[in-house]
């Protein structure tokens, strides 16, 4: 029934306020008569004493009835609720103002009178009411001395009303009614204010809970509207919760997309790998089978040719498998690099030396613009050599005979950038964004010997060095690949 947070909070607030106001009113109503009695007694504290001083109520140990009568009359006029009693030193009634027959006690307890006279107790001090055996009342009292001897007490019951019910009490006092109304109005105001505040708070919680539910229903894939309201600017807990949830949901959506993308590219890669492996494998198998079945019919020349082709296919297979393995090792999260300072110009010289023969065979000019300045960089020398090899190999492969390939170093204050420029066929603008993807090969180069993995490996190596590879290319004019590395010191 009270499942919603707002209902729970409002019911609790209402209950608490009601309990508080009820106890407040009950306490006040319980206190009111006592307060009135205290006031009454304090106002009339010296009443009995003053009368005793003024009137000789006892004459030679006898009651002075005339004086008593005047006192009765006088007080009756002032306040008809007041009753006057004269007692002997033991508390036995000697004379009183009340009509005969209504007095039910002939003796009153002296202990409250002593307390009153000595002011030992807190006011109101209640004493016996001779007209009522069950009820005690506030009073004023004074001892009467005649010839230095205690002759008795003047005992004035101050009367005042006894209330049978709260309603009777409230009906009798305008102030009490006003006060009760004030408490009820404050209760209502507090309730309305509390209701509005709680509704405001619970609305935000509801909004958040609703957003979470919708996010769950969208299978954690759709970003949720309205969540930008929780921008953490208000700084309260709901705001913090909202902004954390917003960030969390964005992160989850991003991760889910990444997972889906990774899954798709993994599937694509498996398809590519199997396709790229199947083709050379099938050719290899075909040539070997021909060699096995028709060995006798083939001439020596044909046999050599077939073996040569089979070898080339097996070589291609080996290259593909080893590059795949290399890439997957580099893509491993814990790929470890061995950083060390080394001379980039020396490495460039060494790698170019390796390719010089191949370039010459194609009639290409492979040049290195090497400087005398120190060119130390801090990197993994084995991996940087791999990048250089891939880029120079590509430059040679994709530059027609008679072209030029140049490797140069650009030295800046903190970096050394290696540039490999060729005068080859260039790469079309639409292909440039894809050439670093695994297995991507420009259409017209598919018949050439290549795996489509070289640039993916080079890019990953540069990523591991917190660097990147840049490519500038113009069709039929040439291409420049470049990568920067931080300067290193020995
Ligand atoms: P591949 O083994 O096919 O060379 P890479 O990943 O090294 O694979 O290169 C991807 C594609 O980028 C190549 O197939 C080629 O089309 C293009 N490419 C790379 N380098 C050059 C270059 N220097 N000039 C022209 N095209 C290039």
């Amino acid at each position: 029934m009270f499942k919603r947070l707002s209902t729970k909070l409002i019911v609790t607030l209402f209950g608490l306020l009601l309990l508080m106001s009820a106890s407040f009113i009950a306490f006040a109503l319980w206190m009111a008569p006592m307060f009135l009695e205290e006031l009454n007694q304090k106002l009339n504290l010296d009443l009995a004493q003053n009368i005793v001083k003024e009137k000789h109520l006892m004459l030679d140990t006898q009651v002075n009835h005339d004086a008593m009568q005047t006192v009765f009359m006088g007080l009756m006029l002032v306040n008809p609720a007041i009753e006057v009693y004269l007692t002997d030193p033991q508390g036995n009634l000697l004379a009183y103002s009340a009509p005969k027959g209504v007095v039910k006690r002939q003796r009153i307890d002296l202990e409250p009178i002593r307390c009153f006279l000595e002011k030992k107790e807190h006011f109101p001090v209640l004493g016996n009411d001779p007209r009522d055996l069950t009820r005690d009342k506030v009073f004023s009292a004074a001892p009467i001395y005649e010839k230095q001897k205690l002759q008795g007490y003047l005992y004035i019951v101050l009367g005042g009303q006894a209330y049978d019910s709260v309603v009777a009490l409230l009906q009798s006092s305008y102030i009490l009614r006003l006060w009760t109304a004030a408490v009820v109005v404050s209760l209502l105001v507090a309730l309305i204010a509390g209701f509005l505040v709680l509704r405001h708070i619970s609305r935000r919680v509801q909004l958040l809970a609703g957003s979470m539910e919708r996010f769950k229903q969208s299978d954690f894939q759709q970003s949720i509207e309205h969540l930008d309201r929780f921008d953490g600017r208000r700084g309260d807990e709901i705001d913090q919760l909202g902004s954390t949830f917003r960030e969390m949901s964005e992160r989850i959506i991003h991760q889910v997309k990444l997972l889906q993308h990774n899954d798709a590219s993994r599937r694509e890669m498996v398809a590519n790998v199997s396709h790229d492996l199947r083709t050379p494998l099938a050719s290899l198998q075909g040539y070997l089978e021909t060699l096995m079945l028709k060995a006798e019919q083939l001439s020596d020349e044909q046999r050599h040719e077939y073996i040569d082709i089979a070898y080339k296919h097996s070589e291609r297979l080996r290259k593909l498998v080893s590059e795949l393995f290399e890439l997957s090792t580099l893509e491993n999260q814990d790929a470890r690099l061995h950083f060390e300072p080394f001379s980039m110009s020396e490495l460039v010289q060494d790698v170019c030396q390796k390719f010089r023969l191949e370039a010459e065979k194609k009639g290409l000019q492979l040049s290195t613009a090497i400087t005398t300045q120190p060119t130390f960089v801090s990197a993994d020398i084995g991996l940087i050599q791999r990048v250089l090899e891939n880029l120079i190999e590509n430059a040679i492969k994709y530059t027609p005979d008679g072209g030029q390939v140049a490797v140069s170093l650009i030295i800046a204050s903190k970096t050394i950038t290696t540039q490999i420029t060729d005068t080859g066929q260039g790469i079309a603008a639409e292909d440039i964004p894809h050439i670093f993807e695994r297995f991507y090969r420009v259409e017209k180069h598919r018949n050439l010997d290549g795996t489509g993995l070289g640039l993916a490996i080079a890019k990953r190596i540069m990523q591991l060095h917190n660097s990147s590879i840049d490519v500038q290319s113009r069709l039929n004019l040439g291409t420049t690949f470049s990568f920067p590395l931080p300067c290193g010191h020995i």
Side-chain angles (χ1 to χ4, degrees), residues 316 319 323 390-399 420-422 424-428 431 434-446 448-457 471 473 478-481:
R316 183 170 158 67
K319 198 176 174 208
E323 282 190 355
N390 278 354
L391 297 178
I392 296 175
E393 192 185 351
N394 276 353
I396 294 173
K397 193 163 41 175
Y398 300 112
T399 304
I420 297 97
T421 307
D422 63 54
Q425 306 153 3
I427 308 166
D431 288 319
H434 303 289
I435 54 172
F436 293 100
E437 289 170 12
R438 286 186 219 128
F439 294 108
Y440 189 85
R441 299 169 73 197
V442 173
E443 197 58 47
K444 62 178 174 187
H445 295 148
R446 284 186 189 261
L448 286 173
D449 186 27
T451 56
L453 291 171
L455 285 183
I457 291 174
V471 55
S473 187
T479 309
T480 300
F481 283 93

Side-chain angles (χ1 to χ4, degrees), residues 19-33:
L19 193 78
M20 216 177 76
S21 333
S23 46
F24 210 51
I25 293 175
F27 185 68
L29 291 177
W30 175 67
M31 289 285 291

Side-chain angles (χ1 to χ4, degrees), residues 41 58 77 81 87 101 163 289 309 345 353 356 418 426 466:
Q41 195 166 42
M58 299 282 249
L77 282 174
T87 74
Y163 301 98
E289 252 173 31
I309 297 173
S345 47
Q353 196 54 42
R356 194 135 280 143
T418 310
N466 290 324

